[in-house]
Amino acid sequence: MPEPIHAVSPLATDIPAGLDVDSIVATVRESGVSAPADEEAGLSAAVARAEDHGIDLSIVIVPTEPRHDSQLRDLATAVGAREGGTVLVLSPGQVGTFSDSISRVTLDAGQDRTYTGNHVVAADNFVDTLVEDQTPWGLLTGGLVVVVAAVAALTAVVKVRRYRSRAETNDRAHSESVAD
């Protein structure tokens, strides 16, 4: 009995039926966009705007809904594996992304802004998310750690001073009671 496909190749991709990845990659390589002709100009403008901000973006439009939304991420990953950069794949109602330089958190935030029903607006919203200032979580976390450490150190200093003050008071009281 043959092994199930996931046992042989756990990282196998599931590309939507009827799509030719080689053709999509060739088109993206030329213009940065694989889309119907009536959407190419608007999508190319989004690619150019991303490029102005140092982001290598490719956009792929899938004309029909895939069986599963994960298929769009698999397609984005397949295109990105060959072309590199960041890939946005849009279907009429779903989205998938891949990037070799942008965090998954940022990609997911950008995806959340793509559900507009208009591929050009969706691509512009996605680029807006990628180019806007991101929350510097590393700096905020580092700052919080410093503040917590300072409070802990201050608390320790106060406790030591109280302990010494009580010890001195007890020593004086003990010395006075012995002297009497």
Side-chain angles (χ1 to χ4, degrees):
M1 180 171 179
E3 298 247 357
I5 187 77
H6 66 276
V8 175
S9 178
L11 300 176
T13 59
D14 184 18
I15 306 297
L19 296 179
D20 179 10
V21 176
D22 293 330
S23 174
I24 291 170
V25 169
T27 305
V28 164
R29 190 172 287 147
E30 288 178 23
S31 66
V33 174
S34 175
D38 62 328
E39 295 180 304
E40 279 186 28
L43 296 172
S44 292
V47 168
R49 192 162 59 92
E51 190 174 289
D52 290 343
H53 288 85
I55 299 168
D56 179 18
L57 178 64
S58 300
I59 300 174
V60 176
I61 303 300
V62 176
T64 60
E65 290 297 343
R67 221 169 3 111
H68 301 287
D69 61 349
S70 62
Q71 291 178 306
L72 297 183
R73 184 182 283 188
D74 286 350
L75 178 57
T77 301
V79 173
R82 295 187 192 176
E83 283 300 298
T86 301
V87 182
L88 171 65
V89 179
L90 298 166
S91 72
Q94 297 179 38
V95 62
T97 57
F98 166 85
S99 184
D100 59 10
S101 61
I102 296 172
S103 74
R104 174 56 46 197
V105 171
T106 303
L107 291 175
D108 287 347
Q111 282 182 213
D112 290 344
R113 296 177 62 187
T114 62
Y115 296 100
T116 64
N118 180 312
H119 293 140
V120 174
V121 172
D124 283 335
N125 289 349
F126 183 75
V127 172
D128 288 345
T129 302
L130 299 184
V131 301
E132 67 189 13
D133 289 336
Q134 303 296 317
T135 303
W137 291 112
L139 291 175
L140 291 175
T141 302
L144 183 60
V145 167
V146 168
V147 167
V148 168
V151 168
L154 182 62
T155 301
V157 167
V158 168
K159 283 185 171 189
V160 167
R161 286 184 179 172
R162 282 186 188 162
Y163 176 77
R164 286 181 181 163
S165 176
R166 285 185 188 146
E168 288 173 5
T169 302
N170 288 342
D171 285 348
R172 274 191 235 129
H174 185 333
S175 296
E176 290 174 5
S177 68
V178 172
D180 287 337

